[in-house]
């Protein structure tokens, strides 16, 4: 039987990096779909796991990732997707959600064998994470309207790579079943 | 040139596990030496990195590891070694400080090539971490009066294993130079 | 200073998998460029490292990978790029050349900090390997006429992903300097 | 249900390293028990997997590990435990049988969830491998008369560490059931 988790990638973001201007419009479009997935997962008792860069800060005991992102000019992109008290949280260094993080241990503790990936950036961390999930024998679903990109053409190619070579199910957020 | 970091292992602890009664007296003895190392590291601008289990909780955005340990009956073993605002913090799943954690990424960002390991448990996480540090080509120093054990004989053997097979420098905390 | 290694990926192949018919014409085109790179690397004393799937066989003590590929109908695609007595050889499970292989250990022993990737498949193992090399702080060069693909459009997108997001140098084989 | 594999660690050895004189007598004692385990595993259709250092050589396509060890003065310690045509073979860099090797992938392909570890060195690679197997949720059995040591006291302590902290079953080779 399939047990799913919803993974929210890098949505706690200050949007202060060089490519942010290209990313922000795409985040705006994806945001309601991500919110919808989070709500449905919470309602259904599906684990919601935030996996997030820490912007080079390593003081996660201060909750400073959230504070930092809420203090910036793009608070409006962060607030709708904040973790609640049941959310799980894993800090990643950069790149994949799995690379040198305890995520696969956490998933095995939760008996999860399928991950639904949403967030950003489609052609970077989402792509790498789909690969690393597939290597680890997890089923992967990526709702293509709930991931945000910097370059549309690379994002499109990345989704096709995930579908063809990483056995990912690419679909609309509304049609994702948990 | 050698750049060091002080690693404080699993000292944020509720001491509620089965072996705690054997561990606590050893922690009490090690505590002042650990405090001394932390103070000297802070004074010298040496990075102090807490690497800690999260007791199966994955809500590090709530700072709940610290709250949980301070709320328990062994607050006195935790308070003297609390992280300050400059401390770095890495959550581990269990076992080694390196296994599926971003620690080696963090160390490489800090240009650290030598780790000084203190904390607990000598014959478990400290041993495994010394091994993993050695495999990763880091120099390892373990002050034997600043690590706490459950079983004295296994701890003693573990320190000899570290010295002989993992090239660790075993010495007293007071003689550790940063 | 930069020390390079040439990595020859999955060129010891039986070409018996489902997509082989799409792959073979591309391999035929890439082959002379791969041969050229291998020759120049050998002449220049640059390590040539074969990293290869073992087709589910795990008896590398029998040299059976090479025997198997030479016994098949596509011997002509294998013979020109056979390892010589100085070649190094690493067996991979599947996917990336780094994932659960001793390659990064071998590279560190050789003091290599730059890998030149050639072979197959551009949009699969080459892409994943470029990512894993980049994560490990290695410089990456991919000669785009010395890698073979199954799907041209995905290969093209993969090369752009490598260039843009993995800091890879994409160039012609003839212009690669070791 | 439990499916086992027998893992033969570092028995293809030239015994030319500094500690060899301390190791050889212990190998001599363990040898008949290792041979017995291999025979019983082969008879029972249990996978026998050799995991072996390559002494800094990376030309496994030449079968040179076996040739090298047979050419040395300690051929008598190698010949009785040579792989046969059904044996599986994984090259490791050094340290654990799992660290940067495809072993866990191979075990998952074979549906193995229990490893029986024999070979050398008890207080080094066998200890590290037991730890890494335990971390990966595999059951571990170590027949203490089929592993060889350099230092008896460290070996003894290592076996106790495996039993107590890595949940290993420590027993005589004759009583190991596959």
């Amino acid at each position: 039987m399939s047990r799913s988790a919803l993974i929210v990638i890098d949505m706690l973001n200050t949007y202060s990096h060089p490519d942010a201007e290209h990313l922000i419009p795409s985040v705006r479009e994806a945001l309601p779909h991500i919110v919808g997935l989070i709500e449905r997962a919470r309602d259904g008792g599906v684990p919601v796991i935030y996996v997030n860069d820490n912007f080079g800060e390593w003081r996660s005991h201060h909750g400073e990732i959230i504070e930092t992102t809420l203090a910036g000019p793009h608070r409006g992109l962060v607030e709708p997707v904040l973790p609640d008290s049941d959310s799980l949280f894993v800090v990643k260094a950069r790149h994949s959600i799995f690379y040198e993080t305890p995520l696969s241990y956490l998933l095995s503790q939760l008996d999860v064998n399928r991950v639904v990936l949403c967030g950003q950036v489609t052609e970077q961390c989402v792509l790498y994470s789909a690969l690393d999930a597939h290597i680890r024998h997890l089923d992967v679903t990526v709702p293509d309207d709930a991931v945000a990109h910097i370059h549309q053409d690379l994002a499109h190619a990345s989704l096709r790579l995930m579908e063809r070579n990483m056995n990912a199910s690419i679909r609309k957020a509304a049609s994702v079943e948990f």
Side-chain angles (χ1 to χ4, degrees), chain A residues 23-99:
Chain A
L23 178 59
I24 288 171
S26 180
V27 171
R28 253 190 253 288
E29 275 185 53
L31 203 56
H33 303 290
I34 298 171
V35 170
L37 285 166
I38 293 174
E39 279 172 5
R40 286 206 291 128
R42 285 178 182 163
D43 289 350
V46 171
V48 179
I49 308 177
Y50 288 74
V51 187
N52 216 89
D53 273 6
N54 62 0
F55 333 122
E57 303 288 331
W58 292 93
R59 300 178 185 83
S60 54
H61 50 302
H62 286 169
E64 70 187 351
I65 292 174
I66 290 173
E67 281 165 36
T68 304
T69 58
L70 287 181
H74 297 289
R75 178 189 183 101
L77 299 178
V78 177
E79 226 163 20
V81 292
L82 281 180
D84 70 2
S85 62
D86 286 328
S87 303
L88 305 176
F89 198 96
V90 170
V91 175
K92 69 184 174 69
R94 51 174 197 159
H95 306 292
S96 157
I97 57 178
F98 289 98
Y99 184 69

Side-chain angles (χ1 to χ4, degrees), chain A residues 12-168:
Chain A
L12 307 178
N13 197 327
T14 55
Y15 299 97
S16 52
H17 44 83
D19 286 324
E21 66 186 300
H22 300 291
L23 178 59
I24 288 171
S26 180
V27 171
R28 253 190 253 288
E29 275 185 53
L31 203 56
H33 303 290
I34 298 171
V35 170
L37 285 166
I38 293 174
E39 279 172 5
R40 286 206 291 128
R42 285 178 182 163
D43 289 350
V46 171
V48 179
I49 308 177
Y50 288 74
V51 187
N52 216 89
D53 273 6
N54 62 0
F55 333 122
E57 303 288 331
W58 292 93
R59 300 178 185 83
S60 54
H61 50 302
H62 286 169
E64 70 187 351
I65 292 174
I66 290 173
E67 281 165 36
T68 304
T69 58
L70 287 181
H74 297 289
R75 178 189 183 101
L77 299 178
V78 177
E79 226 163 20
V81 292
L82 281 180
D84 70 2
S85 62
D86 286 328
S87 303
L88 305 176
F89 198 96
V90 170
V91 175
K92 69 184 174 69
R94 51 174 197 159
H95 306 292
S96 157
I97 57 178
F98 289 98
Y99 184 69
E100 302 197 327
T101 77
L103 181 62
S104 58
Y105 179 78
L106 171 55
L107 294 177
S108 82
Q109 292 299 100
L110 296 171
D111 258 329
V112 164
N113 57 9
R114 173 192 178 230
V115 287
V116 178
L117 305 181
C118 66
Q120 56 185 280
V121 173
T122 314
E123 69 271 28
Q124 296 185 25
C125 189
V126 176
L127 173 66
Y128 312 156
S129 300
L131 170 61
D132 275 356
H134 177 57
I135 284 181
R136 285 161 178 79
H137 306 290
L138 294 161
D139 291 331
V140 178
T141 296
V142 182
D144 60 5
D145 52 355
V147 287
H149 57 260
I150 294 170
H151 295 95
Q152 185 159 26
D153 56 339
L154 293 178
H156 185 68
S158 295
L159 288 164
R160 288 185 54 225
L161 285 166
M162 295 181 222
E163 185 164 38
R164 192 178 281 279
N165 296 334
M166 303 167 198
N167 209 22

